[in-house]
């Protein structure tokens, strides 16, 4: 068996191992809660909107970061429709899913996009909370048994790339001058 043939087997074994942690009721409860909170990117969209509401100075950047996070989620949904990889069948899922396809993980896409986008703002509270929460969200998808590790890895890559590609657009909202209009053009 060559290395390429080992990838699906490794994917299945890693999933089985991580899914086993769900036999602890506390771990299962936390994983289910994260999975529900991340449905359709809800947790990350709410965080971005909260940031926009609280951080008036960077409201535009927060809203653009929220749009990038939503965009990453939508792109992952589109990829799912093309790839159509079935969800793991060798483990009993601990949650219901909105769809039948697993590649890439949309939870991981929106989590990674939020970590990159909101991290670019260097917000004191969210800057320290989002990355570990995003990582926990990604692991939760394995613990609840609805994604293979490669689904999550692809989701993270897609989400991070989406947010990274839009980082300049997002931070332009912070750098834009906010001086009042005087009616005179600066031709200098």
């Amino acid at each position: 068996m060559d290395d390429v043939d080992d990838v699906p087997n490794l994917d299945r074994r890693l999933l089985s191992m991580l899914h086993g942690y769900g036999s602890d009721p506390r771990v299962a409860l936390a994983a289910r809660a994260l999975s529900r909170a991340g449905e359709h990117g809800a947790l990350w969209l709410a965080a971005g909107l909260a940031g926009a509401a609280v951080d008036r100075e960077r409201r535009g950047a927060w809203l653009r970061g929220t749009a990038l996070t939503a965009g990453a989620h939508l792109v992952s949904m589109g990829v799912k429709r093309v790839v159509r990889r079935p969800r793991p069948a060798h483990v009993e899922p601990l949650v219901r899913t909105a769809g039948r396809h697993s590649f890439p993980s949309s939870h991981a896409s929106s989590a990674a996009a939020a970590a990159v986008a909101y991290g670019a703002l260097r917000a004191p509270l969210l800057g320290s909370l989002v990355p570990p929460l995003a990582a926990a969200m990604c692991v939760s998808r394995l613990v609840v048994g609805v994604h293979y590790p490669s689904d999550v890895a692809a989701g993270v890559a897609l989400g991070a790339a989406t947010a990274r590609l839009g980082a300049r657009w997002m931070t332009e909202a912070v750098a834009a001058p906010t001086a009042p209009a005087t009616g005179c053009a600066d031709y200098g």
Side-chain angles (χ1 to χ4, degrees):
M1 191 178 269
D2 69 9
D3 291 339
V4 174
D5 291 335
D6 287 340
V7 171
N9 192 27
L10 179 62
D11 228 10
R12 289 170 56 89
R13 287 191 320 220
L14 282 171
L15 172 59
S16 294
M17 180 191 72
L18 290 165
H19 181 62
Y21 289 105
S23 63
D24 179 326
R26 296 167 298 180
V27 173
L29 180 66
R32 283 185 185 112
L34 283 167
S35 286
R36 286 185 192 108
E39 201 61 52
H40 304 294
L43 175 65
W44 312 114
L45 299 176
L49 294 174
V54 181
D55 188 357
R56 292 176 181 256
E57 188 174 300
R58 298 185 289 180
R59 176 175 282 150
W62 280 105
L63 292 174
R64 289 178 181 194
T66 304
L68 289 171
T69 301
H73 184 81
L74 291 172
V75 168
S76 72
M77 298 291 285
V79 173
K80 272 185 199 221
R81 289 180 179 230
V82 171
V83 175
R84 304 178 70 79
R85 181 183 195 184
R87 293 204 183 263
H90 71 286
V91 295
E92 185 68 32
L94 301 179
V95 295
R96 289 183 172 203
T97 59
R100 298 176 303 179
H101 302 113
S102 70
F103 185 91
S105 166
S106 295
H107 279 69
S109 294
S110 57
V116 170
Y118 305 153
L121 292 172
R122 296 183 184 14
L125 182 60
L126 278 178
S128 62
L129 290 178
V130 171
L133 191 55
M137 175 79 65
C138 292
V139 172
S140 79
R141 303 307 282 165
L142 302 169
V143 172
V144 298
V146 296
H147 285 289
Y148 292 103
S150 58
D151 300 335
V152 172
V156 166
L158 188 147
T162 300
R164 188 69 194 114
L165 287 171
R168 178 177 283 160
W169 172 69
M170 189 183 92
T171 55
E172 283 173 355
V174 175
T178 56
T182 61
C184 299
D186 179 22
Y187 295 106

